[in-house]
């Protein structure tokens, strides 16, 4: 245990009092040390109390998905496509050199200047769980495979040229040895905290929120996300670095990994034999240094740390790398020197770079086992069989042009390809067997050439509009523009009307808004749309309004999303008033579906007469889509509560005519279908799942006076998600998941007409 002058760990991002939101423990504001009360969470455990290795940590079952998914013994490391390969970016962790001179392992430095022990199998990946014959006779300290991973002869008998990336690896390894010597010889723990203390002195008060920094740093990586996970909590976090080096730690408590805001973690020069699976919770971690420990492997959950740019594990006993390393698409430096790894790993780093190795592991990973199917959850039981049912699905299917390796670098090429994804999407749609499909990000050519003919085989007809920018393009280019589509079971529903809502066009043409700069600077550049369809049931004559939309995604445009939603609800209200006066269909038998080749028309049951409605709120209403807005947004509040006042809303200081003068509202009583799962074990916690974002932003809103939720499609398999950093993958073909709700149309409650008695004309009337 540390004495009074030593603390078991150090935080060194800021000299001011940290704002620690992830643990009840208080922190000292001394610029270096965390409160020593945290010692109870990170105490040194005696060897006798070490936990037994878990199945996940067993080398025989390790790998991305455990046993039963093993590739061949001769998987080629360099056989996979090398996505995004270019000039390697070097990650320089340290800016200062220690005054201590290290002499503990001089032989390693000499060995690193040569390329020893490469035979004819160089370029073959010796992945030990699946190629045990490669490693069975290998000792970490044998002559053929020294502890630093180098043999005794060079390829072809001559020294191999060292590339820039490998030279950087050697430099970082030497710095790690210097740091280790400083802690061993001088007994100075927290080497990195001490080294960086002068760098960080006085910067705490000027630090900005890490989420704001990441918005500039991420570039395209944050594209199409409402906001990053780290921006979910608006509270300021003053420190992001933790140093637990040189403490002699043998075991780490899982409580450490509750500090999910950490960006740098140093655990060097300890006696750690394994890392807990909870390491995967540190989704914001950029730098992890576990050098000079006794690690024999990395947990598969390390693949969840997709923000990692530098992973240093010098001088350990690691003999294999899990396939999950392939998910670390931001990784720029993997420090492996001093480990008894198969030579193919070192070869890849020496001949290419870390990104090449990461990509090879990603592409060669076996397809994971199929997750448990999403379960249907009954919400209302004993629903009368006489009530008409309608099942609706909404899904952002991820347009082909947005599914790029730069945005989804954690997804294997095959799983990201449109040819693979479109078939999986079609399969899921068919399995849902919904009456109505609301799809977003569906391109015009994909709608016409793939989904329309394919879904026609399942009785669907569709309506589609691309985003308005298609009007400014050539006919060929316009085919690739995405938009919104509504498909419906043509044997059950008749399409009475369809409308497109061009938000920007309607906003700039409003008399109360066209003079405001915010309309032209913020709303007009966004070409989002909504689609509204009016249906009638062939069998019962009941009518229904279905809307589908895809709002702006930018986190800085919350006001624009609110304007778009307000315009959508204005149009629905206006059209519903029109539809309430819509005349009944005279002869629905005349509205028949075309016959397929060789098909004989069957006698259909007598269709019910068209139902009539008194006002716009009497018609069943479903409003679906990708709103890019979470539960705490004004968009959600408007749809849920029916009104948002001008103040205390996402409008902020922007001006939007009557919207910001009087507020926005709609006349419908609406609710999100999935609120019925809130605070239950089956609660849906996300509809969009990527490494830096996992929130509910897709909704099925329904009018509560006309519809009742009967059944919902439950959340994805939680066990499957433990090692999946984000979608899409082989089993989830888009970064959003579909949500499905089954409704019963409530029986009409017609008000009784009050008939006043007629007593004839009064005398005064007669005189007049």
């Amino acid at each position: 245990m540390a004495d009074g002058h030593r603390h078991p760990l150090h935080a060194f991002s800021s000299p001011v009092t940290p704002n620690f939101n992830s643990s009840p423990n208080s922190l000292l504001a001394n610029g270096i040390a965390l409160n020593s009360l945290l010692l109870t969470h990170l105490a040194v455990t005696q060897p006798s109390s070490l936990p037994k290795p878990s199945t996940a940590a067993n080398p025989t079952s390790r790998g991305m998905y455990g046993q039963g998914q093993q590739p061949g013994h001769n998987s080629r490391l360099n056989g996979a496509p090398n996505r995004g390969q270019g000039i390697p970016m070097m990650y320089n962790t340290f800016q200062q050199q220690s005054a201590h001179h290290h002499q503990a392992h001089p032989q390693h430095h000499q060995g690193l200047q040569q390329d020893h022990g490469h035979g004819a199998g160089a370029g073959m990946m010796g992945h030990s769980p699946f190629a045990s014959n490669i490693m069975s006779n290998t000792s970490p300290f044998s002559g053929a495979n020294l502890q630093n991973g180098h043999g005794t002869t060079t390829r072809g008998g001559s020294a191999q040229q060292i590339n820039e990336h490998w030279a950087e690896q050697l430099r970082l390894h030497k710095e790690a040895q210097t740091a280790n010597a400083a802690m061993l010889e001088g007994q100075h723990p927290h080497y990195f905290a001490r080294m960086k203390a002068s760098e960080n002195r006085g910067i705490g008060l000027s630090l900005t929120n890490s989420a704001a920094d990441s918005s500039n740093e991420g570039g395209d990586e944050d594209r199409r996300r409402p906001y990053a996970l780290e921006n979910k909590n608006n509270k300021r976090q003053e420190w992001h670095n933790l140093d637990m080096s040189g403490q002699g730690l043998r075991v780490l408590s899982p409580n450490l990994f509750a500090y999910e805001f950490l960006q740098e973690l140093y655990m060097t020069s300890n006696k750690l034999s394994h890392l807990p699976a909870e390491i995967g919770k540190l989704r914001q971690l950029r730098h992890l240094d576990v050098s000079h420990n006794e690690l024999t492997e990395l947990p598969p959950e390390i693949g969840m740390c997709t923000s990692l740019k530098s992973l240093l594990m010098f001088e350990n006993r690691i003999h294999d790398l899990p396939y999950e390393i392939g998910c670390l698409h931001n990784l720029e430096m993997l420090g492996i020197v001093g480990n008894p790894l198969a030579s193919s790993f070192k070869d890849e780093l020496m001949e290419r770079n870390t990104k090449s190795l990461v990509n090879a592991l990603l592409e060669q990973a076996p397809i994971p086992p199929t997750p448990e199917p999403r379960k249907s959850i009954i919400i209302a039981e004993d629903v009368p069989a006489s009530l008409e049912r309608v099942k609706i699905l909404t899904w952002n299917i991820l347009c082909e042009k947005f599914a790029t390796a730069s945005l989804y670098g954690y997804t294997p090429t095959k799983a990201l390809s449109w040819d693979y994804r479109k078939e999986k999407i079609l399969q899921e749609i068919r399995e849902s067997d919904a009456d109505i499909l609301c799809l977003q990000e569906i391109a015009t050519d994909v709608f016409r050439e793939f989904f329309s003919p394919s879904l026609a085989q399942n009785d669907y007809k569709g309506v589609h509009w691309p985003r308005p920018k298609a009007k400014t393009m050539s006919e060929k280019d316009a085919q690739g523009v995405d938009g919104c589509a509504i498909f419906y079971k043509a044997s059950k529903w008749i399409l009475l009307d369809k409308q497109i809502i061009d938000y920007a066009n309607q906003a700039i043409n409003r008399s109360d808004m066209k003079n405001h700069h915010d309309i032209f600077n913020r709303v007009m550049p966004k070409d989002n749309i909504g689609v509204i369809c009016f249906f009638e049931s062939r069998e019962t004559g009941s009518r229904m309004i279905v809307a589908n939309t895809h709002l702006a995604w930018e986190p800085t445009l919350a006001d624009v999303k609110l304007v778009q939603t307000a315009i959508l609800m204005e149009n629905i209200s206006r059209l519903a008033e029109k539809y309430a006066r819509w005349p009944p269909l005279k002869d629905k038998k005349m509205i028949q579906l075309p016959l397929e080749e060789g098909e004989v028309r069957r006698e259909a049951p007598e269709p019910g007469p068209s139902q009539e409605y008194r006002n716009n709120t009497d018609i069943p209403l479903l409003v679906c889509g990708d709103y890019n807005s979470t539960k705490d947004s004004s968009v959600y509040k408007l749809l849920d509560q029916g009104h948002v006042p001008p103040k205390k809303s996402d409008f902020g200081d922007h001006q939007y005519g009557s919207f910001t003068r009087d507020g926005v509202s709609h006349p419908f009583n609406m609710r999100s279908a999935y609120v019925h799962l809130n605070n239950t074990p089956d609660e849906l916690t996300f509809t969009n799942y990527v490494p830096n974002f996992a929130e509910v932003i897709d909704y099925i809103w329904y009018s509560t006076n006309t519809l009742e939720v009967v059944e919902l499609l439950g959340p994805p398999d939680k066990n499957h998600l433990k090692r999946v950093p984000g979608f899409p993958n082989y089993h989830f073909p888009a970064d959003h998941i579909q949500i499905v709700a089954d409704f019963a149309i409530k029986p009409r409650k017609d008000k009784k007409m009050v008939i006043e008695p007629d007593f004839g004309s009064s005398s005064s009337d007669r005189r007049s």
Side-chain angles (χ1 to χ4, degrees):
M1 300 287 284
D3 57 26
H5 298 287
R6 278 193 191 169
H7 297 288
L9 46 86
H10 281 251
F12 50 85
S13 281
S14 170
V16 299
T17 302
N19 176 15
F20 183 69
N21 304 313
S22 300
S23 171
N25 296 359
S26 61
L27 305 174
L28 291 179
N30 60 7
I32 298 179
L34 289 175
N35 193 307
S36 60
L37 291 176
L38 293 176
L39 181 63
T40 57
H41 291 314
L42 302 168
V44 179
T45 306
Q46 297 301 321
S48 60
S49 62
L50 290 176
K52 295 181 179 180
S54 63
T55 303
N58 191 331
T60 62
S61 62
R62 183 164 42 82
M64 195 165 197
Y65 305 103
Q67 299 181 7
Q69 298 291 328
Q70 301 178 359
H73 289 286
N74 295 323
S75 301
R76 278 196 179 276
L77 180 64
N78 302 330
N82 199 0
R83 297 186 296 172
Q85 185 175 3
I87 298 175
M89 297 177 64
M90 300 302 162
Y91 186 84
N92 188 354
T93 309
F94 313 115
Q95 302 299 323
Q96 301 181 20
Q97 293 286 344
S98 171
H100 298 283
H101 181 67
H102 177 51
Q103 299 177 348
H105 305 285
Q107 71 275 15
H108 295 307
H109 298 298
Q110 297 171 4
L112 285 171
Q113 304 305 314
Q114 304 179 30
D115 185 17
H116 297 304
H118 299 289
M124 304 294 289
M125 182 174 69
H127 216 279
S128 60
F130 308 111
S132 57
N133 59 312
I134 296 177
M135 298 299 299
S136 58
N137 297 322
T138 301
S139 168
F141 307 104
S142 67
N145 195 1
L146 299 179
Q147 186 179 5
N148 61 9
H150 306 305
T152 56
T153 60
T154 61
R155 184 181 304 172
S158 60
Q160 183 176 348
Q161 183 177 1
I162 297 177
N163 66 13
E164 183 180 4
H165 186 80
W166 186 252
E168 176 71 2
Q169 171 122 184
L170 300 184
R171 188 189 67 79
L172 292 175
H173 174 247
K174 186 173 182 180
E175 287 188 349
Q177 289 186 310
T178 300
N180 184 57
M183 285 181 276
L184 292 179
E185 297 171 5
Q187 295 299 310
H188 295 308
H190 316 305
Y191 172 87
F192 303 99
R194 296 171 186 275
M195 185 183 69
K196 286 199 171 187
S198 60
E199 297 178 27
N200 295 323
R201 184 174 296 119
I203 67 172
L205 295 177
S206 63
L207 285 176
T208 58
N209 185 282
S210 62
D213 295 339
S214 67
S215 64
N216 295 326
E217 176 185 305
D220 282 346
E221 295 177 6
D222 293 329
R223 189 169 181 265
R224 302 171 59 247
R225 311 280 172 250
Y227 53 81
L229 268 178
E230 53 205 303
N231 198 26
K232 181 179 178 182
N233 209 335
N234 291 326
K235 295 181 180 179
R236 181 166 166 168
Q237 179 60 48
E238 298 288 1
W239 63 278
H240 304 89
N241 317 66
L242 207 57
D243 183 8
M244 305 189 314
S245 57
Q247 291 297 308
L249 299 177
R250 297 180 183 272
V251 174
L252 298 173
S253 167
N255 291 319
L256 165 67
F257 305 105
Y259 307 161
E260 296 180 8
F261 54 81
L262 285 177
Q263 295 183 11
E264 295 184 17
L265 180 58
Y266 298 86
M267 298 187 291
T268 68
S269 304
N270 285 298
K271 298 179 180 180
L272 298 174
S273 60
H274 73 284
L275 294 178
E278 287 80 4
I279 188 75
K281 294 181 179 180
L282 304 183
R283 305 295 293 272
Q284 298 181 48
L285 200 62
R286 269 71 167 169
H287 176 80
L288 175 62
D289 194 342
V290 291
S291 301
H292 291 276
N293 277 284
E294 299 172 3
L295 299 176
T296 58
E297 61 184 0
L298 294 176
E301 288 76 11
I302 193 71
M304 301 293 284
C305 303
T306 52
S307 295
L308 273 176
K309 292 187 176 181
S310 177
L311 172 57
L312 306 183
M313 53 183 194
F314 301 123
E315 302 298 337
N316 277 281
R317 301 173 183 175
I318 298 172
H319 56 80
D320 193 24
L321 296 177
Y323 281 116
E324 284 79 358
I325 292 288
C327 295
L328 305 182
H329 59 110
N330 290 310
L331 196 64
E332 298 166 1
M333 177 56 67
L334 177 64
I336 66 168
V337 177
N339 288 276
L341 284 164
S343 60
S344 53
F345 292 116
K346 191 195 78 167
D347 291 345
E348 189 70 13
L349 294 181
M350 291 186 68
E351 297 172 7
R352 295 175 178 82
N353 53 45
T354 291
K355 287 189 176 295
S356 177
L357 174 59
V358 168
N359 184 71
L361 290 171
L362 175 70
E363 299 298 344
Q364 295 183 9
I367 297 177
T370 303
E372 289 293 322
R374 296 174 64 186
K375 298 178 181 179
S376 294
I377 302 169
I378 304 297
I379 303 300
E381 300 179 354
D382 302 325
V383 176
S386 59
L387 295 183
E388 185 169 17
R389 301 278 284 270
V390 55
K391 189 176 185 181
I392 190 164
L393 171 151
T394 185
W395 195 3
N396 183 326
I397 63 172
L398 180 58
C399 184
E400 177 184 9
K401 65 182 178 182
F402 297 145
T404 63
S406 61
L407 287 173
Y408 302 95
Y410 50 87
T411 304
T413 301
K414 180 182 176 182
L416 193 60
S417 70
W418 179 238
D419 286 341
Y420 179 86
R421 293 197 305 110
K422 69 181 181 182
E423 295 295 340
K424 291 290 293 183
I425 293 168
L426 181 62
Q427 177 187 347
E428 287 196 33
I429 288 174
R430 285 173 170 168
E431 290 174 354
S432 74
D433 195 32
D435 298 308
I436 308 290
L437 310 173
C438 293
L439 305 181
Q440 304 90 42
E441 287 196 19
I442 177 169
T444 300
D445 55 356
V446 170
F447 172 81
R448 292 178 178 175
E449 300 170 11
F450 180 72
F451 281 107
S452 284
S454 299
L455 291 174
Q457 302 174 25
N458 303 93
D459 190 33
Y460 288 103
K461 283 190 173 182
V463 173
H464 174 265
W465 267 289
R467 290 186 287 150
K469 72 175 184 179
K471 298 177 183 178
T472 66
M473 297 180 172
S474 66
E475 183 177 355
K476 180 180 179 180
D477 293 338
Q479 295 299 306
V481 176
D482 66 293
C484 296
I486 297 178
F487 286 90
Y488 60 96
K489 284 285 185 74
S491 62
K492 184 174 181 179
W493 300 95
I494 299 172
L495 178 64
L496 301 180
D497 192 32
K498 57 184 179 180
Q499 299 287 336
I500 179 175
I501 311 301
D502 181 345
Y503 299 128
N505 184 61
Q506 289 200 15
I508 62 176
N509 285 294
R510 290 174 63 105
S511 59
D512 62 326
M513 292 188 185
K514 60 184 180 181
N515 294 325
H516 292 301
H517 295 293
D518 288 325
I519 286 293
F520 293 92
N521 295 335
R522 298 179 67 79
V523 177
M524 192 176 72
K526 304 307 298 178
D527 63 342
N528 303 93
I529 62 169
V531 176
I532 300 174
C533 289
F534 185 38
F535 296 103
E536 179 173 326
S537 170
R538 290 181 180 273
E539 183 177 354
T540 67
S542 61
R543 293 180 170 182
M544 179 175 61
I545 301 172
V546 177
N548 181 22
T549 191
H550 188 188
L551 303 186
W553 63 267
E554 292 88 340
T556 56
L557 297 182
D559 55 311
V560 174
K561 300 175 196 181
L562 183 54
V563 169
Q564 292 173 343
T565 307
I567 291 175
L568 174 66
M569 296 311 299
E570 276 190 347
N571 279 271
I572 292 175
S573 180
R574 175 181 56 81
L575 288 170
E577 291 178 356
K578 172 185 174 182
Y579 296 153
R581 301 188 298 271
W582 204 278
L585 293 178
K586 293 182 178 180
D587 189 358
K588 282 195 280 188
K589 283 189 175 182
M590 298 296 296
I591 307 175
Q592 296 183 344
L593 300 176
L595 296 175
E596 298 292 336
E597 184 177 353
E599 183 181 4
V600 178
R601 190 174 300 283
R602 299 178 181 179
E603 188 66 24
E606 186 68 23
S610 302
Q611 291 194 21
E612 299 181 20
Y613 300 89
R614 295 184 303 271
N615 53 57
N616 58 354
T617 59
D618 278 354
I619 306 174
L621 172 64
L622 291 164
V623 183
C624 305
D626 176 2
Y627 291 82
N628 279 313
S629 304
T630 54
K631 190 176 181 180
D632 57 355
S633 66
S634 292
V635 166
Y636 188 99
K637 183 177 180 181
L638 172 60
L639 293 167
D640 185 60
Q641 301 180 14
H643 178 72
V644 171
K647 296 181 179 180
K648 297 183 179 180
S649 73
D650 287 336
F651 284 131
D653 296 329
H654 303 291
Q655 295 298 316
Y656 297 113
S658 62
F659 286 177
T660 49
R661 184 180 65 248
D662 306 323
V664 292
S665 60
H666 65 78
F668 305 98
N669 294 318
M670 293 173 52
R671 195 177 188 188
S672 171
Y674 273 80
V675 299
H676 295 279
L677 298 183
N678 287 356
N679 302 316
T680 72
D682 297 311
E683 181 174 5
L684 189 71
T685 57
F686 67 83
T687 59
N688 182 203
Y689 184 65
V690 290
N692 61 342
F693 185 82
E695 292 284 350
V696 174
I697 57 175
D698 304 83
Y699 304 95
I700 299 174
W701 296 93
Y702 69 100
S703 52
T704 58
N705 61 313
T706 60
L707 296 166
E708 179 182 8
V709 179
V710 178
E711 194 172 324
L712 295 169
L713 182 63
D717 180 9
K718 294 180 180 178
N719 289 327
H720 178 73
L721 300 177
K722 290 180 178 179
R723 297 183 186 176
V724 176
F727 298 155
N729 65 13
Y730 283 106
H731 302 297
F732 290 86
D735 55 346
H736 291 245
I737 60 172
Q738 56 165 302
I739 54 176
V740 183
D742 194 355
F743 296 91
I745 300 178
K746 292 182 178 180
R748 299 278 304 276
K749 294 182 180 180
D750 294 326
K751 295 181 179 179
K752 295 182 179 180
M753 294 182 63
V754 179
I755 303 176
E756 297 183 359
D758 183 6
F759 296 104
S761 301
S762 65
S763 57
S764 60
D765 291 335
R766 287 195 297 269
R767 283 196 299 270
S768 63

